Amino acid sequence: MAEKEKPKKPKGEVHVNREVCKGCGFCVEFCPSHVLALDTAFNRKGYHPPVAAKPEACNGCNLCGLYCPDFAIFGVRLGKAEEDSDEG
Amino acid sequence: MTQPRNPVEPFLRMDRMPHIWCPGCGIGVVVNCFARAMLESKTDIDSVQVVSGIGCTGRIAGYLRMDSYHTTHGRAIPFATGLKTARPDMKVVVFSGDGDLVAIGGNHLIHAARRNVDIKVICVNNFTYGMTGGQVAPTAPIESVATTSPFGVFEQPFNLAFLADSAGAVYVARWTTYHVRQLAKAMREVLQKPGFCFVEVIAPCPTIYQRRNRLGDALDAMRFYKQQSKLSEGADTRTLDIPMQGPIPVGRFVNRDRPTLLENMNTVLGKRLGAKFTPYPTGVTR
């Protein structure tokens, strides 16, 4: 509320738990900042987990984390303390 | 620096991951949205009980780290009714698939809605029986192919939103797994709402439904939901049929208030028995 106007885009980073990923590609398809791409390497189960191809574009919105059916990916917003997420 | 943890992990039994659902299965998204709704509404993990039946969706109870019960086929709602009656202070959530909930458990669904039992039913509708190999489900669209209907289904499928509405549910919504934010919001709403709430979630089944009908993989299904979903907030539920590969009406259709089963019991028995009757706790604050 009383926060100052922030023209700067928020920064975030994305974390992938490679071994539980099943490579469905939801996160890659629906990332609003197009950060992710499927890796060419395999995980232990033979799937291609996502990697941050453009990590500088991530704003930590965690939409990938909401789409992931395997709880294998999530984004965190950097720079400020954990804030309650509002409905989007 | 410590490795950050996924914020939904406290709600899940992470020692059981990876789960058994196929790559791209929509059930994981539903669980994710439910965990998110619990997180965002700051619901106490000990105040929620999860009941599920049999089938792919029935496995949800095993993956949520709260009091959860994996019951017999189709009987998740009777079990939840008993649970809610014994512990009215608890929020009882039923996760069930379309085959479990409306085929074998169809009678329980309509009567729980009629009596307005204070339970929250989340139905994952993937138009088929996934775990048993793709038989015709009561929601399978006309002309879709199933193992027991190789030339196409010719039975009229259920319109679940209409069924729940006409049976008396106080909250009826339908979303697809593409609408994660809306789904998490709907789950937040039903966790706060007293009475019988019904949320239908259209989910992709890439291994059975998509493959047999040559509809591509789960990502194709998600793109299809994105393109073909038609927001119909408050629409007449009679108009909400889902045609084969046609537009999917989504939204919140019903949101009304009715006294719950335990409130009605207190009213009627209190009137008849007078001072002899001790009102039973209903768990509802109005």
Side-chain angles (χ1 to χ4, degrees), chain A residues 13 15 19-20 22 24-26 29-30 45 47 61-63 65-74 76 84-85 87-88, chain B residues 3-7 12 17-19 21 23-25 28-29 31-32 36 40 42 177-178 180-181 185 188 218-219 222-223:
Chain A
E13 62 181 14
H15 296 267
E19 294 308 322
V20 298
K22 290 179 185 156
C24 65
F26 288 0
E29 174 82 15
F30 297 118
K45 295 270 186 190
Y47 298 112
C61 69
N62 197 17
L63 194 65
L66 204 47
Y67 271 113
C68 181
D70 295 278
F71 320 106
I73 190 171
F74 60 99
V76 286
D84 296 337
S85 58
E87 58 192 74
Chain B
Q3 188 68 21
R5 290 176 72 223
N6 194 334
L12 304 168
M17 301 293 164
H19 52 59
W21 296 313
C25 175
V29 182
V31 177
N32 212 337
R36 191 70 47 156
E40 286 171 359
K42 298 191 176 63
T177 47
Y178 169 72
V180 279
R181 295 251 188 240
K185 183 172 174 233
R188 279 207 310 270
L219 202 49
M222 293 288 267
R223 290 191 194 110

CSV table of all heavy atoms in Angstrom, one decimal, chain A residues 13 15 19-20 22 24-26 29-30 45 47 61-63 65-74 76 84-85 87-88, chain B residues 3-7 12 17-19 21 23-25 28-29 31-32 36 40 42 177-178 180-181 185 188 218-219 222-223:
chain,number,residue,atom,x,y,z
A,13,GLU,N,14.3,-16.3,-9.7
A,13,GLU,CA,15.0,-17.4,-10.2
A,13,GLU,C,14.2,-18.7,-10.1
A,13,GLU,O,13.2,-18.8,-9.3
A,13,GLU,CB,16.3,-17.6,-9.5
A,13,GLU,CG,16.2,-17.9,-8.1
A,13,GLU,CD,17.6,-18.0,-7.4
A,13,GLU,OE1,18.6,-17.6,-8.0
A,13,GLU,OE2,17.7,-18.5,-6.3
A,15,HIS,N,13.8,-22.9,-9.8
A,15,HIS,CA,14.5,-24.1,-9.3
A,15,HIS,C,13.8,-25.3,-9.9
A,15,HIS,O,12.6,-25.4,-9.9
A,15,HIS,CB,14.5,-24.1,-7.8
A,15,HIS,CG,15.2,-22.9,-7.2
A,15,HIS,ND1,16.5,-23.0,-6.8
A,15,HIS,CD2,14.8,-21.7,-6.9
A,15,HIS,CE1,16.9,-21.9,-6.3
A,15,HIS,NE2,15.8,-21.0,-6.3
A,19,GLU,N,15.1,-34.8,-10.9
A,19,GLU,CA,14.8,-36.2,-10.8
A,19,GLU,C,13.3,-36.6,-10.7
A,19,GLU,O,12.9,-37.7,-11.0
A,19,GLU,CB,15.6,-36.8,-9.7
A,19,GLU,CG,17.1,-36.8,-9.9
A,19,GLU,CD,17.6,-37.3,-11.2
A,19,GLU,OE1,17.0,-38.3,-11.7
A,19,GLU,OE2,18.5,-36.7,-11.8
A,20,VAL,N,12.5,-35.6,-10.3
A,20,VAL,CA,11.0,-36.0,-10.2
A,20,VAL,C,10.3,-35.4,-11.4
A,20,VAL,O,9.1,-35.7,-11.6
A,20,VAL,CB,10.3,-35.5,-8.9
A,20,VAL,CG1,10.9,-36.1,-7.7
A,20,VAL,CG2,10.4,-34.0,-8.8
A,22,LYS,N,8.8,-35.1,-15.2
A,22,LYS,CA,8.5,-36.1,-16.2
A,22,LYS,C,8.4,-35.5,-17.6
A,22,LYS,O,7.9,-36.1,-18.5
A,22,LYS,CB,7.1,-36.8,-15.9
A,22,LYS,CG,7.2,-37.7,-14.7
A,22,LYS,CD,5.9,-38.3,-14.3
A,22,LYS,CE,6.0,-39.1,-13.0
A,22,LYS,NZ,4.7,-39.2,-12.3
A,24,CYS,N,6.8,-33.1,-19.1
A,24,CYS,CA,5.5,-32.8,-19.8
A,24,CYS,C,5.6,-31.5,-20.6
A,24,CYS,O,4.8,-31.3,-21.6
A,24,CYS,CB,4.3,-32.8,-18.9
A,24,CYS,SG,4.4,-31.4,-17.7
A,25,GLY,N,6.4,-30.5,-20.2
A,25,GLY,CA,6.6,-29.3,-20.9
A,25,GLY,C,5.6,-28.2,-20.6
A,25,GLY,O,5.5,-27.2,-21.3
A,26,PHE,N,4.7,-28.4,-19.6
A,26,PHE,CA,3.7,-27.4,-19.3
A,26,PHE,C,4.4,-26.1,-18.9
A,26,PHE,O,4.0,-25.0,-19.3
A,26,PHE,CB,2.8,-27.8,-18.1
A,26,PHE,CG,1.9,-28.9,-18.4
A,26,PHE,CD1,1.7,-29.4,-19.6
A,26,PHE,CD2,1.0,-29.3,-17.4
A,26,PHE,CE1,0.8,-30.4,-19.9
A,26,PHE,CE2,0.1,-30.3,-17.6
A,26,PHE,CZ,0.0,-30.9,-18.9
A,29,GLU,N,5.8,-24.3,-21.9
A,29,GLU,CA,4.8,-23.7,-22.8
A,29,GLU,C,4.2,-22.4,-22.2
A,29,GLU,O,3.9,-21.5,-22.9
A,29,GLU,CB,3.7,-24.7,-23.0
A,29,GLU,CG,2.5,-24.3,-23.8
A,29,GLU,CD,2.7,-24.2,-25.3
A,29,GLU,OE1,3.6,-24.9,-25.7
A,29,GLU,OE2,1.9,-23.6,-26.0
A,30,PHE,N,3.9,-22.5,-20.8
A,30,PHE,CA,3.1,-21.4,-20.3
A,30,PHE,C,3.9,-20.4,-19.5
A,30,PHE,O,3.3,-19.5,-18.8
A,30,PHE,CB,2.0,-22.0,-19.4
A,30,PHE,CG,1.0,-22.9,-20.2
A,30,PHE,CD1,0.9,-24.2,-19.9
A,30,PHE,CD2,0.3,-22.3,-21.2
A,30,PHE,CE1,0.0,-25.0,-20.7
A,30,PHE,CE2,-0.6,-23.1,-21.9
A,30,PHE,CZ,-0.7,-24.4,-21.7
A,45,LYS,N,15.2,-41.0,-15.0
A,45,LYS,CA,14.1,-41.8,-15.5
A,45,LYS,C,14.0,-41.7,-17.1
A,45,LYS,O,13.1,-42.3,-17.7
A,45,LYS,CB,12.8,-41.3,-14.9
A,45,LYS,CG,12.7,-41.5,-13.4
A,45,LYS,CD,12.1,-42.9,-13.1
A,45,LYS,CE,11.8,-43.0,-11.6
A,45,LYS,NZ,11.5,-44.4,-11.3
A,47,TYR,N,13.6,-38.7,-18.8
A,47,TYR,CA,12.8,-37.6,-19.3
A,47,TYR,C,13.8,-36.4,-19.5
A,47,TYR,O,14.8,-36.4,-18.9
A,47,TYR,CB,11.7,-37.2,-18.3
A,47,TYR,CG,10.7,-38.3,-18.1
A,47,TYR,CD1,10.6,-38.9,-16.9
A,47,TYR,CD2,9.8,-38.6,-19.1
A,47,TYR,CE1,9.6,-39.9,-16.7
A,47,TYR,CE2,8.8,-39.6,-18.9
A,47,TYR,CZ,8.8,-40.2,-17.7
A,47,TYR,OH,7.8,-41.2,-17.5
A,61,CYS,N,7.5,-15.3,-10.9
A,61,CYS,CA,6.0,-15.3,-10.7
A,61,CYS,C,5.5,-16.7,-10.2
A,61,CYS,O,4.4,-16.8,-9.7
A,61,CYS,CB,5.3,-14.9,-12.0
A,61,CYS,SG,5.4,-16.2,-13.3
A,62,ASN,N,6.3,-17.7,-10.4
A,62,ASN,CA,5.9,-19.1,-9.9
A,62,ASN,C,4.7,-19.6,-10.6
A,62,ASN,O,4.0,-20.5,-10.1
A,62,ASN,CB,5.7,-19.1,-8.4
A,62,ASN,CG,5.7,-20.5,-7.8
A,62,ASN,OD1,6.2,-21.4,-8.5
A,62,ASN,ND2,5.2,-20.7,-6.6
A,63,LEU,N,4.4,-19.2,-11.8
A,63,LEU,CA,3.3,-19.8,-12.6
A,63,LEU,C,3.8,-21.2,-13.0
A,63,LEU,O,3.0,-22.2,-13.0
A,63,LEU,CB,3.0,-19.0,-13.8
A,63,LEU,CG,1.7,-19.4,-14.5
A,63,LEU,CD1,0.5,-19.1,-13.6
A,63,LEU,CD2,1.5,-18.6,-15.8
A,65,GLY,N,5.5,-23.2,-11.2
A,65,GLY,CA,5.2,-24.0,-10.0
A,65,GLY,C,3.8,-24.4,-9.9
A,65,GLY,O,3.4,-25.5,-9.4
A,66,LEU,N,2.9,-23.5,-10.4
A,66,LEU,CA,1.5,-23.8,-10.3
A,66,LEU,C,1.0,-24.8,-11.3
A,66,LEU,O,0.1,-25.6,-11.1
A,66,LEU,CB,0.7,-22.5,-10.4
A,66,LEU,CG,-0.7,-22.4,-9.8
A,66,LEU,CD1,-0.7,-22.9,-8.4
A,66,LEU,CD2,-1.1,-20.9,-9.8
A,67,TYR,N,1.7,-24.8,-12.5
A,67,TYR,CA,1.3,-25.7,-13.6
A,67,TYR,C,1.9,-27.1,-13.4
A,67,TYR,O,1.4,-28.0,-14.0
A,67,TYR,CB,1.8,-25.1,-14.9
A,67,TYR,CG,0.7,-24.2,-15.6
A,67,TYR,CD1,0.9,-22.9,-15.7
A,67,TYR,CD2,-0.5,-24.8,-16.0
A,67,TYR,CE1,-0.1,-22.1,-16.3
A,67,TYR,CE2,-1.4,-24.0,-16.6
A,67,TYR,CZ,-1.2,-22.7,-16.7
A,67,TYR,OH,-2.2,-21.9,-17.3
A,68,CYS,N,3.0,-27.2,-12.7
A,68,CYS,CA,3.8,-28.4,-12.7
A,68,CYS,C,3.0,-29.6,-12.0
A,68,CYS,O,2.6,-29.5,-10.9
A,68,CYS,CB,5.1,-28.3,-11.9
A,68,CYS,SG,6.1,-29.8,-12.0
A,69,PRO,N,2.7,-30.6,-12.8
A,69,PRO,CA,1.9,-31.8,-12.2
A,69,PRO,C,2.8,-32.6,-11.3
A,69,PRO,O,2.3,-33.5,-10.6
A,69,PRO,CB,1.5,-32.6,-13.4
A,69,PRO,CG,1.9,-31.9,-14.6
A,69,PRO,CD,3.0,-30.9,-14.2
A,70,ASP,N,4.1,-32.4,-11.3
A,70,ASP,CA,5.0,-33.3,-10.6
A,70,ASP,C,5.7,-32.5,-9.4
A,70,ASP,O,6.7,-33.1,-8.8
A,70,ASP,CB,6.1,-33.9,-11.5
A,70,ASP,CG,5.4,-34.8,-12.5
A,70,ASP,OD1,5.2,-35.9,-12.2
A,70,ASP,OD2,5.1,-34.3,-13.6
A,71,PHE,N,5.3,-31.3,-9.2
A,71,PHE,CA,5.9,-30.5,-8.1
A,71,PHE,C,7.5,-30.4,-8.2
A,71,PHE,O,8.2,-30.4,-7.3
A,71,PHE,CB,5.6,-31.1,-6.7
A,71,PHE,CG,4.2,-31.6,-6.6
A,71,PHE,CD1,3.9,-33.0,-6.7
A,71,PHE,CD2,3.1,-30.7,-6.6
A,71,PHE,CE1,2.6,-33.4,-6.7
A,71,PHE,CE2,1.8,-31.1,-6.6
A,71,PHE,CZ,1.5,-32.5,-6.6
A,72,ALA,N,7.9,-30.4,-9.5
A,72,ALA,CA,9.4,-30.4,-9.7
A,72,ALA,C,10.0,-29.1,-10.0
A,72,ALA,O,11.2,-29.0,-10.1
A,72,ALA,CB,9.6,-31.3,-11.0
A,73,ILE,N,9.2,-28.0,-10.2
A,73,ILE,CA,9.7,-26.7,-10.5
A,73,ILE,C,9.0,-25.7,-9.7
A,73,ILE,O,7.8,-25.8,-9.4
A,73,ILE,CB,9.6,-26.5,-12.0
A,73,ILE,CG1,10.4,-25.2,-12.5
A,73,ILE,CG2,8.1,-26.4,-12.5
A,73,ILE,CD1,10.5,-25.1,-14.0
A,74,PHE,N,9.7,-24.6,-9.4
A,74,PHE,CA,9.0,-23.4,-8.8
A,74,PHE,C,9.9,-22.2,-8.9
A,74,PHE,O,11.2,-22.4,-9.1
A,74,PHE,CB,8.8,-23.7,-7.3
A,74,PHE,CG,10.0,-24.0,-6.4
A,74,PHE,CD1,10.5,-23.0,-5.7
A,74,PHE,CD2,10.5,-25.2,-6.4
A,74,PHE,CE1,11.6,-23.2,-4.9
A,74,PHE,CE2,11.6,-25.5,-5.6
A,74,PHE,CZ,12.2,-24.5,-4.9
A,76,VAL,N,11.1,-18.4,-7.4
A,76,VAL,CA,11.1,-17.6,-6.2
A,76,VAL,C,11.5,-16.1,-6.7
A,76,VAL,O,12.3,-16.0,-7.6
A,76,VAL,CB,12.1,-18.0,-5.1
A,76,VAL,CG1,11.5,-19.3,-4.4
A,76,VAL,CG2,13.5,-18.3,-5.7
A,84,ASP,N,3.0,-12.5,0.6
A,84,ASP,CA,1.9,-13.2,0.3
A,84,ASP,C,1.5,-13.0,-1.1
A,84,ASP,O,1.4,-11.9,-1.6
A,84,ASP,CB,0.7,-12.9,1.2
A,84,ASP,CG,1.0,-13.2,2.7
A,84,ASP,OD1,1.9,-14.0,2.9
A,84,ASP,OD2,0.5,-12.5,3.6
A,85,SER,N,1.2,-14.1,-1.8
A,85,SER,CA,0.9,-13.9,-3.2
A,85,SER,C,-0.6,-13.5,-3.3
A,85,SER,O,-1.4,-14.0,-2.6
A,85,SER,CB,1.1,-15.2,-4.0
A,85,SER,OG,0.4,-16.2,-3.4
A,87,GLU,N,-4.1,-12.9,-5.7
A,87,GLU,CA,-4.6,-13.6,-6.8
A,87,GLU,C,-4.3,-12.9,-8.1
A,87,GLU,O,-4.2,-11.7,-8.1
A,87,GLU,CB,-6.2,-13.7,-6.6
A,87,GLU,CG,-6.8,-12.4,-6.5
A,87,GLU,CD,-8.3,-12.6,-6.1
A,87,GLU,OE1,-8.5,-12.9,-4.9
A,87,GLU,OE2,-9.1,-12.5,-6.9
A,88,GLY,N,-4.1,-13.7,-9.1
A,88,GLY,CA,-3.5,-13.0,-10.3
A,88,GLY,C,-4.5,-12.9,-11.4
A,88,GLY,O,-5.4,-13.6,-11.6
B,3,GLN,N,19.2,-24.4,-0.1
B,3,GLN,CA,18.4,-24.5,-1.3
B,3,GLN,C,17.0,-24.2,-0.9
B,3,GLN,O,16.4,-24.7,0.0
B,3,GLN,CB,18.5,-26.0,-1.7
B,3,GLN,CG,17.9,-26.4,-3.0
B,3,GLN,CD,18.6,-25.7,-4.2
B,3,GLN,OE1,19.8,-25.4,-4.1
B,3,GLN,NE2,17.9,-25.6,-5.3
B,4,PRO,N,16.3,-23.3,-1.7
B,4,PRO,CA,14.9,-23.0,-1.4
B,4,PRO,C,14.0,-24.2,-1.6
B,4,PRO,O,14.3,-25.0,-2.5
B,4,PRO,CB,14.6,-21.8,-2.3
B,4,PRO,CG,15.7,-21.7,-3.2
B,4,PRO,CD,16.8,-22.6,-2.8
B,5,ARG,N,12.9,-24.3,-0.9
B,5,ARG,CA,12.0,-25.4,-1.1
B,5,ARG,C,10.8,-25.0,-1.7
B,5,ARG,O,10.3,-23.8,-1.6
B,5,ARG,CB,11.7,-26.1,0.3
B,5,ARG,CG,12.9,-26.8,0.9
B,5,ARG,CD,12.6,-27.3,2.3
B,5,ARG,NE,11.7,-28.4,2.2
B,5,ARG,CZ,10.6,-28.6,3.1
B,5,ARG,NH1,10.4,-27.7,4.0
B,5,ARG,NH2,9.9,-29.7,3.0
B,6,ASN,N,10.2,-25.9,-2.5
B,6,ASN,CA,8.9,-25.6,-3.1
B,6,ASN,C,7.9,-25.2,-2.1
B,6,ASN,O,7.7,-26.0,-1.1
B,6,ASN,CB,8.5,-26.9,-3.9
B,6,ASN,CG,7.4,-26.6,-4.9
B,6,ASN,OD1,6.6,-25.6,-4.7
B,6,ASN,ND2,7.3,-27.4,-5.9
B,7,PRO,N,7.2,-24.1,-2.2
B,7,PRO,CA,6.3,-23.7,-1.1
B,7,PRO,C,5.1,-24.7,-0.9
B,7,PRO,O,4.5,-24.6,0.2
B,7,PRO,CB,5.7,-22.3,-1.6
B,7,PRO,CG,6.1,-22.3,-3.1
B,7,PRO,CD,7.3,-23.1,-3.2
B,12,LEU,N,2.5,-31.9,1.0
B,12,LEU,CA,2.6,-33.1,0.2
B,12,LEU,C,3.5,-34.1,1.0
B,12,LEU,O,4.4,-33.7,1.7
B,12,LEU,CB,3.3,-32.8,-1.1
B,12,LEU,CG,2.5,-31.8,-2.0
B,12,LEU,CD1,3.4,-31.4,-3.1
B,12,LEU,CD2,1.2,-32.3,-2.5
B,17,MET,N,7.2,-39.1,-3.7
B,17,MET,CA,7.4,-38.6,-5.1
B,17,MET,C,8.6,-39.3,-5.7
B,17,MET,O,9.5,-39.6,-5.0
B,17,MET,CB,7.6,-37.1,-5.1
B,17,MET,CG,6.5,-36.3,-4.4
B,17,MET,SD,5.0,-36.4,-5.5
B,17,MET,CE,3.7,-35.9,-4.3
B,18,PRO,N,8.7,-39.4,-7.0
B,18,PRO,CA,7.6,-39.0,-8.0
B,18,PRO,C,6.4,-39.9,-7.9
B,18,PRO,O,6.5,-41.1,-7.6
B,18,PRO,CB,8.3,-39.2,-9.3
B,18,PRO,CG,9.4,-40.2,-9.1
B,18,PRO,CD,9.8,-40.0,-7.6
B,19,HIS,N,5.2,-39.3,-8.2
B,19,HIS,CA,4.0,-40.0,-8.0
B,19,HIS,C,3.7,-40.9,-9.2
B,19,HIS,O,4.5,-40.9,-10.2
B,19,HIS,CB,2.8,-39.0,-7.9
B,19,HIS,CG,2.8,-37.9,-8.9
B,19,HIS,ND1,2.7,-38.2,-10.2
B,19,HIS,CD2,2.9,-36.6,-8.8
B,19,HIS,CE1,2.7,-37.1,-10.9
B,19,HIS,NE2,2.8,-36.1,-10.1
B,21,TRP,N,1.3,-40.9,-11.4
B,21,TRP,CA,0.5,-40.4,-12.6
B,21,TRP,C,1.4,-40.2,-13.8
B,21,TRP,O,2.6,-39.9,-13.7
B,21,TRP,CB,-0.2,-39.0,-12.2
B,21,TRP,CG,-1.2,-39.2,-11.1
B,21,TRP,CD1,-2.1,-40.2,-11.0
B,21,TRP,CD2,-1.3,-38.5,-9.9
B,21,TRP,NE1,-2.8,-40.1,-9.8
B,21,TRP,CE2,-2.4,-39.0,-9.1
B,21,TRP,CE3,-0.6,-37.4,-9.3
B,21,TRP,CZ2,-2.7,-38.5,-7.9
B,21,TRP,CZ3,-1.0,-36.9,-8.1
B,21,TRP,CH2,-2.0,-37.4,-7.4
B,23,PRO,N,3.1,-38.8,-17.3
B,23,PRO,CA,3.7,-37.5,-17.6
B,23,PRO,C,2.6,-36.7,-18.3
B,23,PRO,O,1.9,-37.1,-19.2
B,23,PRO,CB,4.7,-37.8,-18.7
B,23,PRO,CG,5.1,-39.2,-18.4
B,23,PRO,CD,3.9,-39.9,-17.9
B,24,GLY,N,2.3,-35.5,-17.7
B,24,GLY,CA,1.3,-34.6,-18.2
B,24,GLY,C,-0.1,-34.8,-17.7
B,24,GLY,O,-1.0,-34.1,-18.1
B,25,CYS,N,-0.3,-35.8,-16.8
B,25,CYS,CA,-1.6,-36.0,-16.2
B,25,CYS,C,-2.1,-34.8,-15.5
B,25,CYS,O,-1.3,-34.1,-14.8
B,25,CYS,CB,-1.5,-37.2,-15.3
B,25,CYS,SG,-3.1,-37.5,-14.4
B,28,GLY,N,-2.0,-34.1,-11.1
B,28,GLY,CA,-1.0,-33.4,-10.4
B,28,GLY,C,-1.2,-31.9,-10.3
B,28,GLY,O,-0.9,-31.2,-9.3
B,29,VAL,N,-1.7,-31.3,-11.4
B,29,VAL,CA,-2.0,-29.9,-11.4
B,29,VAL,C,-3.1,-29.6,-10.4
B,29,VAL,O,-3.1,-28.5,-9.7
B,29,VAL,CB,-2.5,-29.4,-12.8
B,29,VAL,CG1,-2.7,-27.9,-12.9
B,29,VAL,CG2,-1.4,-29.8,-13.8
B,31,VAL,N,-3.8,-31.2,-7.6
B,31,VAL,CA,-3.2,-31.3,-6.3
B,31,VAL,C,-2.4,-30.1,-6.0
B,31,VAL,O,-2.4,-29.5,-4.9
B,31,VAL,CB,-2.3,-32.6,-6.2
B,31,VAL,CG1,-1.6,-32.6,-4.8
B,31,VAL,CG2,-3.1,-33.8,-6.4
B,32,ASN,N,-1.7,-29.6,-7.0
B,32,ASN,CA,-0.8,-28.4,-6.9
B,32,ASN,C,-1.7,-27.2,-6.6
B,32,ASN,O,-1.4,-26.4,-5.7
B,32,ASN,CB,-0.1,-28.2,-8.2
B,32,ASN,CG,1.2,-27.6,-8.0
B,32,ASN,OD1,1.5,-26.9,-7.0
B,32,ASN,ND2,2.1,-27.8,-9.0
B,36,ARG,N,-1.8,-25.0,-3.2
B,36,ARG,CA,-1.7,-23.5,-3.3
B,36,ARG,C,-2.9,-22.8,-2.6
B,36,ARG,O,-2.7,-21.8,-1.9
B,36,ARG,CB,-1.7,-23.2,-4.8
B,36,ARG,CG,-1.3,-21.8,-5.1
B,36,ARG,CD,0.2,-21.5,-4.8
B,36,ARG,NE,1.0,-22.6,-5.3
B,36,ARG,CZ,2.3,-22.4,-5.6
B,36,ARG,NH1,2.9,-21.3,-5.4
B,36,ARG,NH2,3.0,-23.5,-6.1
B,40,GLU,N,-2.5,-20.2,0.4
B,40,GLU,CA,-2.9,-18.8,0.2
B,40,GLU,C,-4.0,-18.5,1.2
B,40,GLU,O,-4.1,-17.3,1.7
B,40,GLU,CB,-3.4,-18.6,-1.2
B,40,GLU,CG,-2.2,-18.5,-2.2
B,40,GLU,CD,-2.7,-18.4,-3.6
B,40,GLU,OE1,-3.9,-18.5,-3.9
B,40,GLU,OE2,-1.8,-18.4,-4.5
B,42,LYS,N,-4.2,-19.7,4.1
B,42,LYS,CA,-3.6,-20.0,5.4
B,42,LYS,C,-4.4,-21.0,6.2
B,42,LYS,O,-4.6,-20.8,7.4
B,42,LYS,CB,-3.4,-18.7,6.2
B,42,LYS,CG,-2.4,-17.7,5.5
B,42,LYS,CD,-2.0,-16.6,6.4
B,42,LYS,CE,-1.0,-15.7,5.8
B,42,LYS,NZ,-1.5,-15.0,4.6
B,177,THR,N,-7.5,-27.7,-16.3
B,177,THR,CA,-6.2,-27.6,-15.7
B,177,THR,C,-5.4,-26.5,-16.3
B,177,THR,O,-4.3,-26.1,-15.8
B,177,THR,CB,-5.4,-28.9,-15.9
B,177,THR,OG1,-5.6,-29.3,-17.2
B,177,THR,CG2,-6.0,-30.0,-15.0
B,178,TYR,N,-5.9,-25.9,-17.4
B,178,TYR,CA,-5.2,-24.7,-17.9
B,178,TYR,C,-5.4,-23.5,-16.9
B,178,TYR,O,-4.5,-22.6,-16.8
B,178,TYR,CB,-5.6,-24.4,-19.3
B,178,TYR,CG,-5.2,-23.0,-19.8
B,178,TYR,CD1,-3.8,-22.8,-20.1
B,178,TYR,CD2,-6.0,-21.9,-19.8
B,178,TYR,CE1,-3.4,-21.6,-20.4
B,178,TYR,CE2,-5.6,-20.7,-20.2
B,178,TYR,CZ,-4.2,-20.5,-20.5
B,178,TYR,OH,-3.8,-19.3,-20.9
B,180,VAL,N,-5.1,-22.5,-13.9
B,180,VAL,CA,-4.6,-22.8,-12.5
B,180,VAL,C,-5.0,-21.7,-11.5
B,180,VAL,O,-5.3,-22.0,-10.4
B,180,VAL,CB,-3.1,-23.0,-12.6
B,180,VAL,CG1,-2.9,-24.5,-13.0
B,180,VAL,CG2,-2.4,-22.0,-13.4
B,181,ARG,N,-4.9,-20.5,-11.9
B,181,ARG,CA,-5.2,-19.4,-10.9
B,181,ARG,C,-6.6,-19.4,-10.5
B,181,ARG,O,-7.0,-19.3,-9.3
B,181,ARG,CB,-4.8,-18.0,-11.5
B,181,ARG,CG,-3.4,-17.8,-11.8
B,181,ARG,CD,-2.8,-16.8,-10.8
B,181,ARG,NE,-1.4,-16.5,-11.3
B,181,ARG,CZ,-0.3,-16.7,-10.5
B,181,ARG,NH1,-0.5,-17.3,-9.3
B,181,ARG,NH2,0.9,-16.4,-11.0
B,185,LYS,N,-8.3,-20.3,-6.9
B,185,LYS,CA,-9.2,-19.4,-6.2
B,185,LYS,C,-10.5,-20.1,-5.9
B,185,LYS,O,-11.1,-19.9,-4.8
B,185,LYS,CB,-9.5,-18.2,-7.2
B,185,LYS,CG,-10.4,-17.1,-6.6
B,185,LYS,CD,-10.4,-15.9,-7.5
B,185,LYS,CE,-11.4,-14.9,-6.9
B,185,LYS,NZ,-12.4,-14.5,-7.9
B,188,ARG,N,-10.0,-22.0,-2.8
B,188,ARG,CA,-10.0,-21.2,-1.7
B,188,ARG,C,-11.4,-20.8,-1.3
B,188,ARG,O,-11.8,-20.8,-0.1
B,188,ARG,CB,-9.3,-19.9,-2.0
B,188,ARG,CG,-7.8,-19.9,-1.9
B,188,ARG,CD,-7.2,-18.6,-1.6
B,188,ARG,NE,-7.6,-17.5,-2.4
B,188,ARG,CZ,-7.1,-17.1,-3.5
B,188,ARG,NH1,-6.1,-17.7,-4.0
B,188,ARG,NH2,-7.5,-16.0,-4.2
B,218,ALA,N,-0.5,-34.3,-23.7
B,218,ALA,CA,-1.1,-33.5,-22.7
B,218,ALA,C,-0.9,-32.0,-23.0
B,218,ALA,O,-1.8,-31.2,-22.7
B,218,ALA,CB,-0.4,-33.8,-21.3
B,219,LEU,N,0.2,-31.7,-23.6
B,219,LEU,CA,0.4,-30.3,-23.9
B,219,LEU,C,-0.6,-29.8,-25.0
B,219,LEU,O,-1.1,-28.7,-24.9
B,219,LEU,CB,1.9,-30.1,-24.4
B,219,LEU,CG,2.5,-28.7,-24.3
B,219,LEU,CD1,2.3,-28.1,-23.0
B,219,LEU,CD2,4.0,-28.8,-24.6
B,222,MET,N,-3.7,-29.1,-23.2
B,222,MET,CA,-3.7,-27.8,-22.5
B,222,MET,C,-3.8,-26.6,-23.5
B,222,MET,O,-4.5,-25.7,-23.2
B,222,MET,CB,-2.3,-27.7,-21.7
B,222,MET,CG,-2.2,-28.6,-20.6
B,222,MET,SD,-3.2,-28.3,-19.2
B,222,MET,CE,-2.1,-27.3,-18.2
B,223,ARG,N,-3.2,-26.7,-24.6
B,223,ARG,CA,-3.4,-25.7,-25.7
B,223,ARG,C,-4.8,-25.6,-26.1
B,223,ARG,O,-5.4,-24.6,-26.3
B,223,ARG,CB,-2.5,-26.0,-26.9
B,223,ARG,CG,-1.0,-25.8,-26.6
B,223,ARG,CD,-0.2,-25.8,-27.9
B,223,ARG,NE,1.2,-25.9,-27.6
B,223,ARG,CZ,1.9,-27.0,-27.8
B,223,ARG,NH1,1.4,-28.1,-28.4
B,223,ARG,NH2,3.2,-27.1,-27.5
